[in-house]
C-alpha cells in the first residue's frame, strides 16, 4: 500500500475512534471526506503518478474511503447510543421514591350523627325540610308566640343582621316555613336539621353555633301519645333498645302542653354518674303539642288538625353517643379529634 494512503488511513481511523461527540465526529468526516478533505486530495494527486501505478492507487484510495465511511458510521451509531443512554439515565423516573400520602378523610361526627338520626326518622315516615339560617324576627319569634318584649326572648339572645333579621336561635321557625311549603296538604311529617346561633358564654357544653333537629307532625288525629311513641322509638334506635325516656312538664310558648324529654343515662344506664349529675337521666329535647296559633301561622286550621313538635340538640346527642365531653371539639378543626372518626 502506498505510504501516504497508509498514513491517512491510520490518522483517520484513530481520530474517528477518539471522537467524543457527534460534533467532533462530523469535524473528522469533513477533514477526510469533505470536498477539500484529505481523501479527495489524495485522489487529485493521481495525475502525478506513473500511468501503471494509477489504477492500483485509485483502487486503494477508494477502499480507504469505504473503510473510513464504515468507521464513521459505526462510530456515529455508538455515539448516538451513548447520547440516548445518557438521557435515559438522566431522565429516569425514580419509582422507588415514596409517593405523596393522602390522609383518608372522615365524616364529621355531627354529620354522622345527623345521618343516623335522619335515617331513623325516615323509617317513621318523616322527610327532611331544610329551612334557613338567617331568619326574620317575625318567624324566629312572633309566629311562635314570642311577641316583642316576651321574656322567652331573654333566653335566646342572638346576632342581629338588621333591626328585623337575625341568625335563627332555634330550628322551630322551620315548623312554620315547612307547614307553609305544604300549602295545606296532610299529613305534615318532617324534621328540620341545621345550625342555630346564640349569644351564649362558651364552655364545655355551650357554643355560639350549635345544631338542632326539629320535628313536626300535623294531621287530623295526632295526639300526645304519638309524640311519646315517636320520641321513644327514636331514643331506642339511636342510643340502644335498653334506653328509657321520661317526659317532664315544661313550658314553651309555641307548644301547649309542653315537656322536656329525658333519656336514661347512656353511660350509667340510669344508676347515676357524673355525666347525668347522679340523676340517671339526661335532658335531650323540648317537645309538646303544637300551639293552635302556630298551626294557624302555618296555614292550617287548629279546629281541624293537631300536631306535635320536638327539638333535639344534635351536638348533645352526638356527644352522648360518641362519649365526647366538650362541645368545642366539634368546632376546633383538631385532626387528633376528627381522625378518631375515620372508618367508623
Ligand atoms: N326551640 C326550642 C329551643 O330551642 C326547643 C323546642 C321545644 C322545640 C319544644 C320544639 C318544641 O319543637 O316543641 O329551646
Amino acid at each position: 500500500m502506498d505510504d501516504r494512503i497508509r498514513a491517512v488511513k491510520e490518522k483517520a481511523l484513530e481520530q474517528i475512534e477518539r471522537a467524543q461527540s457527534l460534533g467532533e465526529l462530523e469535524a473528522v468526516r469533513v477533514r477526510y471526506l469533505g470536498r477539500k478533505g484529505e481523501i479527495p486530495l489524495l485522489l487529485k494527486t493521481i495525475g502525478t503518478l506513473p500511468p501503471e501505478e494509477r489504477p492500483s492507487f485509485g483502487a486503494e484510495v477508494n477502499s480507504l474511503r469505504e473503510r473510513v465511511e464504515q468507521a464513521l458510521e459505526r462510530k456515529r451509531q455508538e455515539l448516538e447510543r451513548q447520547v440516548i443512554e445518557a438521557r435515559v439515565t438522566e431522565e429516569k423516573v425514580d419509582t422507588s421514591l415514596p409517593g405523596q400520602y393522602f390522609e383518608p378523610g372522615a365524616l364529621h361526627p355531627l354529620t354522622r350523627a345527623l345521618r343516623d338520626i335522619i335515617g331513623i326518622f325516615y323509617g317513621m315516615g318523616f322527610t327532611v325540610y331544610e329551612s334557613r339560617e338567617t331568619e326574620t324576627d317575625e318567624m324566629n319569634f312572633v309566629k311562635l308566640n314570642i311577641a316583642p318584649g316576651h321574656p322567652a326572648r331573654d333566653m335566646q339572645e342572638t346576632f342581629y343582621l338588621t333591626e328585623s333579621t337575625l341568625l335563627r336561635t332555634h330550628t322551630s321557625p322551620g315548623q312554620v316555613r315547612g307547614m307553609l311549603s305544604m300549602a295545606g296538604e296532610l299529613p305534615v311529617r318532617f324534621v328540620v336539621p341545621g345550625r342555630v346561633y346564640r349569644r351564649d358564654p362558651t364552655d364545655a357544653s355551650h357554643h355560639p353555633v350549635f345544631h338542632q333537629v326539629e320535628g313536626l307532625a300535623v294531621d287530623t288525629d295526632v295526639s300526645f301519645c304519638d309524640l311519646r311513641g315517636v320520641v321513644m322509638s327514636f331514643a331506642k334506635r339511636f342510643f340502644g333498645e335498653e334506653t328509657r325516656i321520661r317526659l317532664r312538664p315544661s313550658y314553651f310558648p309555641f307548644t301547649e302542653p309542653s315537656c322536656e324529654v329525658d333519656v336514661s343515662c347512656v353511660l350509667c344506664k340510669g344508676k347515676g354518674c357524673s355525666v347525668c349529675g347522679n340523676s340517671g337521666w339526661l335532658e335531650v329535647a323540648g317537645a309538646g303539642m303544637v300551639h293552635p296559633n302556630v298551626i294557624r301561622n302555618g296555614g292550617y286550621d287548629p279546629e281541624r288538625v293537631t300536631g306535635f313538635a320536638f327539638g333535639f340538640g344534635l351536638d348533645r346527642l352526638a356527644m352522648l353517643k360518641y362519649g365526647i365531653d366538650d362541645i368545642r371539639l366539634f368546632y376546633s378543626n383538631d385532626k387528633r379529634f376528627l381522625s378518631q372518626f375515620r372508618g367508623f
Side-chain angles (χ1 to χ4, degrees):
M1 186 191 282
D2 185 274
D3 284 348
R4 286 179 305 161
I5 294 179
R6 180 177 295 116
V8 169
K9 180 179 175 184
E10 280 171 7
K11 260 197 315 179
L13 293 180
E14 195 206 318
Q15 287 177 16
I16 288 169
E17 207 37 59
R18 276 216 313 260
Q20 302 272 15
S21 67
L22 289 166
E24 271 180 49
L25 190 66
E26 173 62 9
V28 176
R29 188 191 68 77
V30 170
R31 192 173 309 135
Y32 290 96
L33 296 174
R35 252 191 323 121
K36 292 183 178 156
E38 297 207 20
I39 292 171
L41 285 181
L42 271 179
L43 263 185
K44 279 188 190 150
T45 64
I46 203 162
T48 66
L49 295 175
E52 66 279 11
E53 291 179 16
R54 288 181 192 172
S56 66
F57 184 86
E60 281 177 11
V61 173
N62 276 336
S63 79
L64 167 63
R65 175 199 300 278
E66 270 169 33
R67 186 68 218 287
V68 168
E69 278 171 351
Q70 280 167 11
L72 279 167
E73 179 59 17
R74 225 184 13 252
K75 189 68 182 178
R76 190 182 61 75
Q77 286 178 6
E78 184 189 319
L79 289 173
E80 274 178 357
R81 202 170 47 244
Q82 280 175 14
V83 168
I84 290 168
E85 275 166 12
R87 277 188 58 186
V88 166
T89 331
E90 199 179 306
E91 297 172 9
K92 191 160 67 182
V93 177
D94 183 353
T95 50
S96 68
L97 266 181
Q100 273 187 311
Y101 178 65
F102 290 95
E103 278 189 80
L107 287 181
H108 191 280
L110 288 175
T111 305
R112 266 188 59 82
L114 180 58
R115 289 192 180 182
D116 278 1
I117 292 165
I118 288 174
I120 294 169
F121 282 110
Y122 265 140
M124 293 191 278
F126 287 73
T127 55
V128 172
Y129 177 77
E130 289 206 84
S131 196
R132 37 187 292 177
E133 290 179 31
T134 58
E135 259 306 354
T136 57
D137 179 284
E138 180 80 8
M139 278 287 176
N140 195 79
F141 293 125
V142 182
K143 296 266 197 235
L144 297 171
N145 272 346
I146 312 174
H150 192 290
R153 289 193 178 219
D154 294 347
M155 285 151 53
Q156 300 194 1
E157 257 189 76
T158 185
F159 305 90
Y160 279 77
L161 305 167
T162 65
E163 279 290 309
S164 58
T165 54
L166 44 81
L167 294 179
R168 68 177 174 192
T169 58
H170 51 177
T171 43
S172 300
Q175 289 184 31
V176 178
R177 287 195 185 276
M179 273 191 280
L180 289 172
S181 78
M182 303 272 306
E185 232 180 275
L186 289 173
V188 174
R189 228 178 272 150
F190 58 74
V191 290
V192 188
R195 256 183 290 250
V196 299
Y197 304 81
R198 283 192 205 173
R199 205 185 146 279
D200 274 347
T202 305
D203 60 31
S205 49
H206 295 87
H207 195 265
V209 182
F210 61 106
H211 298 75
Q212 291 184 335
V213 182
E214 192 85 14
L216 177 71
V218 175
D219 208 342
T220 50
D221 55 358
V222 172
S223 73
F224 201 91
C225 292
D226 297 315
L227 167 61
R228 188 169 192 282
V230 165
V231 169
M232 190 163 66
S233 299
F234 166 73
K236 286 180 180 297
R237 291 207 48 203
F238 188 72
F239 288 118
E241 275 306 312
E242 71 285 1
T243 310
R244 286 164 294 131
I245 65 161
R246 179 175 81 170
L247 303 181
R248 270 182 298 116
S250 185
Y251 169 76
F252 295 101
F254 36 91
T255 42
E256 180 59 37
S258 306
C259 62
E260 307 273 357
V261 179
D262 295 347
V263 295
S264 52
C265 181
V266 296
L267 286 144
C268 64
K269 310 290 174 206
K271 286 191 203 70
C273 67
S274 63
V275 171
C276 58
N278 273 321
S279 70
W281 294 97
L282 299 162
E283 186 185 318
V284 289
M289 297 307 289
V290 183
H291 193 285
N293 290 348
V294 178
I295 296 222
R296 198 175 295 114
N297 291 337
Y300 289 83
D301 178 3
E303 297 294 329
R304 205 167 79 81
V305 298
T306 50
F308 68 76
F310 53 81
F312 283 96
L314 173 61
D315 306 69
R316 183 149 163 81
L317 292 180
M319 286 168 79
L320 292 169
K321 180 146 177 168
Y322 304 134
I324 296 161
D325 61 6
D326 193 325
I327 192 174
R328 291 168 292 194
L329 286 166
F330 289 137
Y331 304 98
S332 53
N333 260 343
D334 187 337
K335 269 167 54 179
R336 291 169 304 177
F337 169 71
L338 295 171
S339 63
Q340 294 176 49
F341 295 88
R342 220 184 258 159
F344 230 74

